Amino acid sequence: MSFSPASPEASSASHPLAPYGWDEGWEAEFTPYAAQGLLPGRVVRVDRGQCDIVTPGGTVRADTEFVVPRDPLKVVCTGDWGAVDPGGDPRYVRTLLPRRTAFVRSTSSKRSEGQILAANVDHAIIAVPLAVELDLGRIERFLALAWESGAQPLVVLTKADLVPDPTGLSYLVDDVETTAPGVQVLAVSAATGEGVDVLSAVVSGSTSVLLGISGAGKSTLANALLGEDVMEVQATRDADGKGRHTTTTRNLLVLPGGGVLIDTPGLRGVGLWDAGQGVGQVFAEIEELAEKCRFQDCAHGSEPGCAVLAALEDGSLPERRLESYRKLLRENQRIVAKTDARLRAEIRRDWRLKGAEGRAAMEAKRGRIR
């Protein structure tokens, strides 16, 4: 199929990249690059400084060396839209279009850097296995990152067939709904097909990222949504429900009902990354109570007139919920402080380098004058 990047008559609906999420907004963003003769493309996989990127002419392998910023959050990521060379060997991604959303977590590195997991996502599907006891604190952590990303969170309780009692299953759903205000919670079984059609309808026509720990059933769920066994599946341990990393890279896949799905490896750690607004969204009821406190800077510890403590005493606010809120706030404050310190150190290092370069240039100039 031939495609002219500068063709004004090519509508976004009939565009060959429409199944991958191309729309009028992306078309407008790409206009200056089309004038340069570059091709639009969406990154479907990243691997060792290269990426697979789908273009109007098909999927190509492209080098990302032209997009190597110092900021690790600006590296090429699955879900990105970019401008690609129209030909040549090797091919290059010349630039990335501005991201609409980005799902970011903190790394375990001592540099306190963020790691971007997926870009331009509409729905963040948080897979939670019912094969083991629910970890509500982990769900809240995932939700904070999802809200902060700009995507709409969606909690999917996988392996629902392992809870045959409908009443017991409804209680579990209720527990998660209480933990996730404003978020849809679905009980799904890829084995029986329960809830798969509902989930398919929710994510149809959008970009979704599938997140969760190893053994959460993400690859099995991805296969159910895709309607075929695309992703490899491995068994989990019976003792703790954990599994090995079936998915080792982040892959963008086209859904048969429209839209795309980004499957990700299981996450061992889910560190917050400057997710203050996300934490506030997860604990919206506590934030609302805090607005009624007598003092604006109330720490909800022992202050008089604290509406949060009053709700704790009358039982309308669970103690576990408040403790989780405090924990995530403290963690987020630490990572923000570390990040600010790292940025300040990098600025000082740049100043020193520029100063040294300036002094060297001055010495060279003086040497020429003599």
Side-chain angles (χ1 to χ4, degrees):
M1 181 177 183
S2 61
F3 170 75
S4 172
S7 297
E9 68 276 6
S11 69
S12 59
S14 60
H15 196 283
L17 292 178
Y20 290 88
W22 185 263
D23 58 27
E24 292 180 357
W26 293 121
E27 192 166 3
E29 290 281 1
F30 191 77
T31 300
Y33 305 109
Q36 298 173 28
L38 298 175
L39 294 176
R42 191 163 198 190
V43 178
V44 297
R45 186 173 180 270
V46 179
D47 180 30
R48 299 177 183 177
Q50 293 186 314
C51 68
D52 293 334
I53 182 166
V54 60
T55 70
T59 302
V60 300
R61 189 73 165 165
D63 201 303
T64 63
E65 72 174 59
F66 281 92
V67 192
V68 187
R70 290 180 60 181
D71 187 347
L73 298 183
K74 295 181 180 179
V75 299
V76 177
C77 177
T78 302
D80 271 324
W81 287 97
V84 190
D85 286 330
D89 185 20
R91 305 283 285 274
Y92 291 98
V93 178
R94 293 292 173 174
T95 190
L96 297 179
L97 301 187
R99 291 166 177 156
R100 294 177 180 174
T101 63
F103 192 97
V104 180
R105 67 163 179 174
S106 67
T107 66
S108 58
S109 87
K110 295 181 180 179
R111 287 174 54 81
S112 305
E113 293 178 340
Q115 179 190 22
I116 181 166
L117 300 180
N120 301 312
V121 171
D122 302 304
H123 291 98
I125 305 173
I126 302 166
V128 180
L130 292 177
V132 293
E133 185 177 355
L134 287 176
D135 187 337
L136 299 179
R138 180 185 286 126
I139 295 173
E140 289 163 342
R141 182 178 292 272
F142 268 110
L143 287 170
L145 292 174
W147 281 122
E148 192 69 31
S149 75
Q152 171 66 45
L154 172 64
V155 178
V156 174
L157 303 180
T158 63
K159 308 180 183 183
D161 54 291
L162 299 181
V163 187
D165 177 25
T167 302
L169 181 60
S170 67
Y171 286 153
L172 292 172
V173 172
D174 289 344
D175 286 344
V176 178
E177 286 178 338
T178 302
T179 301
V183 176
Q184 186 172 7
V185 180
L186 296 175
V188 174
S189 170
T192 66
E194 175 187 355
V196 174
D197 56 341
V198 177
L199 177 58
S200 296
V202 171
V203 302
S204 176
S206 64
T207 296
S208 302
V209 61
L210 192 52
L211 303 156
I213 62 172
S214 297
K218 297 187 302 300
S219 295
T220 303
L221 181 59
N223 286 337
L225 292 171
L226 292 166
E228 56 182 318
D229 292 339
V230 175
M231 307 305 297
E232 181 185 354
V233 176
Q234 295 179 352
T236 58
R237 298 196 297 258
D238 293 334
D240 55 12
K242 294 182 179 179
R244 292 176 293 172
H245 292 310
T246 300
T247 303
T248 56
T249 58
R250 292 179 282 277
N251 304 284
L252 186 146
L253 307 160
V254 177
L255 295 170
V260 295
L261 177 70
I262 300 175
D263 191 19
T264 65
L267 301 176
R268 290 190 178 92
V270 195
L272 298 186
W273 176 259
D274 197 4
Q277 292 185 351
V279 173
Q281 189 86 21
V282 176
F283 299 93
E285 80 279 23
I286 299 179
E287 298 267 303
E288 291 174 5
L289 286 169
E291 294 178 359
K292 302 175 184 177
C293 291
R294 181 183 301 177
F295 304 108
Q296 290 186 347
D297 59 349
C298 183
H300 320 308
S302 57
E303 295 87 346
C306 176
V308 174
L309 293 180
L312 192 65
E313 291 175 3
D314 67 25
S316 59
L317 176 64
E319 185 174 357
R320 186 211 68 80
R321 188 95 168 131
L322 179 57
E323 285 303 313
S324 183
Y325 173 67
R326 288 169 170 164
K327 178 181 179 181
L328 293 185
L329 276 184
R330 288 194 300 268
E331 178 182 330
N332 192 66
Q333 289 168 353
R334 285 196 300 270
I335 194 67
V336 169
K338 288 181 180 179
T339 303
D340 288 345
R342 177 174 61 83
L343 290 176
R344 288 195 297 271
E346 289 182 350
I347 291 172
R348 287 196 296 270
R349 185 172 63 250
D350 287 343
W351 284 345
R352 287 196 297 269
L353 288 173
K354 290 177 181 177
E357 291 171 355
R359 287 190 296 274
M362 184 62 68
E363 289 297 327
K365 183 176 182 180
R366 287 173 180 169
R368 288 195 298 270
I369 293 175
R370 290 174 189 160

